[in-house]
């Protein structure tokens, strides 16, 4: 009975039922009969799982039509990602589902290798492969070990620059085997150069570092190397992320760095932490901050001239918020649209547990409520040490619509572009999820 109790919750109902069957046979007929019962149970469970479990591969697609949360990039960076030769088409996403076990993992790995073989040497050959385990419900040790071997095969046989594995959780993969450690090839904690300031650009300017310089969206700190297709930055061959969105952000950064690493440095510069005055404790305002704000606004208005963007920005007023301060509450009157220039915010739906979404520098929020006149659809809170926003209030918006409708149209187009981004967002396209209005 000890085996029955210890194994509870670690197996699906078919496997756990087999354990009970073996236990009962051993109790009544002895060990020899239990061995025969074990063989019969294993064969029956294998046959049942093979029939009942769905295809372990839900879909294979390129990232050409997908977008990450980091969507308001500079024009040059966006053009790199949209390129057919060096852009998102070089990212292959493989989404897995259901239970992975010894009976279907061979089919899984063979199908992935066949896909990579078919694309090898063609314009569609991927440089980065993302394997998403978010919809995987369980995995036995044999399947986990097979995934570890697949990682090596992709690198050695198919010359994949970066293989990114998405666990779907900070707790790692749904198995007892330490697959996160196996797949990420973690670096030695004693190595102080694990993630240099230069290489950290690949993880995004807002990547929060934990313990031994591990970005918050990674399960383990990866070992960094130079790519065979020189990116100009050291990159990890293998990576384990906790979400498909963070994996795609990293993959996009690798593609940008391969063409022009300076673009990532520019983005990081615009998103540097806030500095405080030693005397008054208030955040400094600077020409660099305004320059960043205008560039962010220009990124949100692609194709518009800089003088027009500057004219729109002239109506925005600077606001500063401290950590944990509420920008607005759900249900309050929508009296402004705001551009986040420094810091991080959190969007949440009240009375809905887990309905959260981060907002990074460069994002505009509240524009839908300003244009349509509806109440706030969410609560927004500052979650960094501080945040600087530039706000367009309703009075100035009404004047802008009346006196200069051509410039006012920029806000309408931001709403359209944001809606387009939501539709193409990786989590909305690949599997159903809940996204929040900002």
């Amino acid at each position: 009975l000890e085996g029955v109790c210890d194994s509870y919750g670690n197996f699906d109902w078919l496997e756990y039922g087999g354990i009970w069957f073996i236990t009962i046979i051993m109790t009544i007929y002895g060990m020899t009969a239990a061995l025969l019962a074990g063989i019969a149970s294993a064969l029956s469970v294998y046959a049942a799982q093979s029939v009942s479990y769905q295809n372990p591969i839900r879909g294979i697609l390129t990232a050409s039509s997908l977008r990450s949360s980091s969507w308001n990039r500079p024009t040059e960076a966006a053009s790199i990602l949209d390129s057919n030769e060096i852009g998102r088409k070089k990212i292959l996403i493989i989404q897995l589902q259901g239970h992975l076990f010894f009976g279907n993992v061979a089919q899984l790995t063979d199908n992935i290798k066949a896909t990579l073989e078919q694309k090898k040497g063609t314009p569609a050959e991927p440089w980065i492969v993302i394997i998403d385990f978010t919809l995987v419900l369980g995995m036995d040790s044999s399947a986990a070990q097979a995934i570890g071997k697949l990682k090596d095969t992709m690198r050695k046989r198919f010359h994949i620059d970066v293989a990114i594995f998405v666990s779907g959780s900070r707790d790692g993969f749904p198995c007892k085997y330490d697959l996160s450690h196996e797949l990420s090839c973690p670096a030695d904690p004693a190595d102080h150069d694990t993630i240099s300031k230069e290489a950290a650009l690949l993880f995004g300017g807002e990547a929060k570092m934990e313990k031994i310089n591990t970005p918050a969206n990674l399960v383990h700190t990866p070992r960094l190397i130079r790519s065979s297709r020189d990116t100009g930055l050291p990159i990890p061959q293998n990576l384990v992320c906790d979400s498909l969105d963070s994996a795609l952000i990293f993959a996009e950064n690798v593609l940008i760095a391969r063409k022009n690493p300076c673009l990532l440095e520019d983005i990081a510069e615009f998103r540097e932490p806030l500095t405080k005055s030693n005397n008054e404790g208030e955040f400094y305002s600077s020409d660099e901050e305004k320059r960043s704000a205008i560039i962010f606004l220009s990124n949100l208005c692609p194709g518009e001239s800089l003088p027009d963007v500057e004219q729109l920005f002239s109506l925005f007023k600077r606001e500063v918020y401290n950590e944990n301060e509420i920008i607005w509450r759900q249900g309050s009157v929508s009296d402004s649209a705001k551009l986040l220039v420094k810091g991080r915010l959190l969007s949440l739906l009240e009375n809905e547990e887990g309905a959260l979404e981060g907002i990074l520098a460069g994002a505009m929020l509240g524009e839908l409520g300003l244009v349509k006149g509806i109440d706030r659809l969410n609560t927004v809170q500052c979650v960094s040490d501080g945040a600087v926003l530039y706000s367009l209030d309703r009075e100035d918006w009404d004047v802008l619509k009346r006196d200069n409708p051509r410039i006012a149209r920029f806000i309408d187009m931001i709403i359209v572009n944001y809606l387009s981004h939501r539709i193409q967002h990786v989590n909305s396209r690949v599997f159903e999820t809940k996204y929040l209005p900002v």
Side-chain angles (χ1 to χ4, degrees):
L1 291 179
E2 181 180 355
V4 172
C5 296
D6 292 344
S7 60
Y8 181 75
N10 295 327
F11 301 92
D12 65 18
W13 67 272
L14 281 174
E15 295 168 331
Y16 189 64
I19 293 174
W20 267 107
F21 176 66
I22 295 170
T23 301
I24 293 171
I25 293 298
M26 182 171 60
T27 302
I28 298 175
Y29 299 105
M31 183 62 70
T32 302
L35 291 174
L36 296 175
I39 295 173
S41 176
L43 292 175
S44 300
V45 169
Y46 171 73
Q49 287 178 331
S50 299
V51 172
S52 61
Y53 286 167
Q54 54 196 335
N55 187 334
I57 298 180
R58 186 176 188 268
I60 300 178
L61 70 161
T62 69
S64 58
S65 63
L66 303 179
R67 299 295 181 268
S68 70
S69 294
S70 186
W71 67 284
N72 53 338
R73 296 181 182 273
T75 302
E76 186 178 350
S79 65
I80 292 173
L81 296 177
D82 291 338
S83 168
N84 290 331
E85 291 75 28
I86 59 174
R88 293 187 183 91
K89 281 193 174 181
K90 291 300 182 180
I91 304 173
L92 185 69
I93 298 177
I94 303 170
Q95 190 178 31
L96 310 183
Q97 64 180 355
H99 289 81
L100 306 183
F101 68 107
F102 67 94
N104 64 9
V105 73
Q107 173 194 359
L108 165 66
T109 56
D110 287 347
N111 286 346
I112 292 176
K113 287 186 282 188
T115 299
L116 294 177
E117 188 68 46
Q118 184 181 12
K119 295 177 179 294
K120 187 177 181 181
T122 70
E125 180 179 10
W127 296 342
I128 302 171
V129 172
I130 300 176
I131 301 182
D132 181 21
F133 289 77
T134 302
L135 299 182
V136 172
L137 303 176
M139 191 181 344
D140 66 16
S141 59
S142 59
Q145 292 170 10
I147 296 297
K149 294 178 181 178
L150 176 64
K151 170 201 70 176
D152 298 328
T153 301
M154 289 193 298
R155 184 179 72 251
K156 295 176 181 177
R157 179 176 167 184
F158 300 105
H159 310 293
I160 299 300
D161 277 354
V162 185
I164 307 176
F165 301 88
V166 179
S167 65
S169 168
R170 285 291 295 175
D171 296 329
F173 296 90
C175 61
K176 293 290 185 181
Y177 185 75
D178 191 1
L179 187 57
S180 297
H181 187 278
E182 170 72 17
L183 294 179
S184 59
C185 295
D188 187 348
D191 182 4
H192 298 293
D193 295 327
T194 298
I195 297 183
S196 64
K197 181 179 180 181
E198 179 188 47
L201 295 172
L202 292 170
F203 299 98
E206 296 293 331
K208 176 183 173 185
M209 311 304 279
E210 296 180 350
K211 296 184 180 179
I212 55 167
N213 290 336
T214 303
N217 56 351
L218 303 185
V219 177
H220 285 289
T221 302
R223 183 184 300 115
L224 302 180
I225 63 163
R226 291 283 174 179
S227 168
S228 57
R229 302 181 181 91
D230 187 18
T231 63
L233 295 175
I235 63 174
Q237 285 184 327
N238 308 293
L239 197 69
V240 176
C241 294
D242 62 1
S243 72
L244 187 54
D245 183 45
S246 59
L248 186 55
I249 290 175
F250 180 85
E252 290 175 344
N253 287 344
V254 170
L255 295 177
I256 294 171
R258 182 177 184 270
K259 181 66 176 179
N260 187 357
C262 294
L263 287 174
L264 295 182
E265 295 174 3
D266 292 342
I267 295 171
E269 178 184 350
F270 295 145
R271 292 176 174 174
E272 285 180 351
L274 299 175
T275 55
K276 288 187 177 181
S277 165
N278 291 328
N279 297 325
E280 300 179 2
E282 295 181 353
F283 296 107
Y284 286 119
S285 177
S286 64
D287 293 338
E288 289 77 12
E289 179 187 284
K290 291 182 179 178
R291 181 171 68 93
S292 298
I294 292 173
I295 290 176
F296 283 143
L297 188 57
S298 181
N299 292 341
L300 293 169
C301 304
E304 305 299 343
S305 67
L306 184 58
D308 285 344
V309 173
E310 290 175 341
Q311 182 178 352
L312 175 61
F313 179 72
S314 67
L315 300 176
F316 284 71
K317 299 179 178 66
R318 188 175 187 266
E319 298 176 347
V320 176
Y321 294 87
N322 296 311
E323 186 175 9
N324 297 324
E325 192 172 353
I326 299 296
I327 284 73
W328 65 61
R329 289 197 177 276
Q330 183 174 329
S332 60
V333 176
S334 296
D335 56 1
S336 64
K338 301 181 187 297
L339 176 67
L340 176 60
V341 179
K342 296 283 187 179
R344 292 187 303 275
L345 307 178
L346 183 68
S347 168
L348 57 96
L349 296 182
E350 297 181 6
N351 303 319
E352 293 193 31
E353 185 177 356
L356 307 171
E357 183 178 348
I359 306 174
L360 302 181
M364 180 169 283
L365 53 154
E367 70 280 1
L368 180 63
L370 179 66
V371 171
K372 295 198 66 176
I374 59 177
D375 291 340
R376 299 297 189 190
L377 301 175
N378 60 345
T379 294
V380 178
Q381 181 180 14
C382 176
V383 292
S384 56
D385 291 338
V388 173
L389 297 93
Y390 281 79
S391 180
L392 173 65
D393 61 35
R394 180 166 298 281
E395 181 179 349
D396 288 334
W397 165 246
D398 290 337
V399 172
L400 182 65
K401 286 191 299 179
R402 184 192 65 211
D403 296 345
N404 199 336
R406 185 179 64 86
I407 299 297
R409 180 178 171 272
F410 291 2
I411 301 296
D412 296 332
M413 292 308 300
I414 289 174
I415 295 175
V416 172
N417 291 336
Y418 192 76
L419 176 60
S420 173
H421 159 69
R422 286 290 182 177
I423 294 172
Q424 291 182 289
H425 192 278
V426 61
N427 285 358
S428 300
R429 290 288 304 281
V430 178
F431 56 86
E432 292 183 5
T433 186
K434 183 179 293 182
Y435 264 81
L436 310 182
V438 297

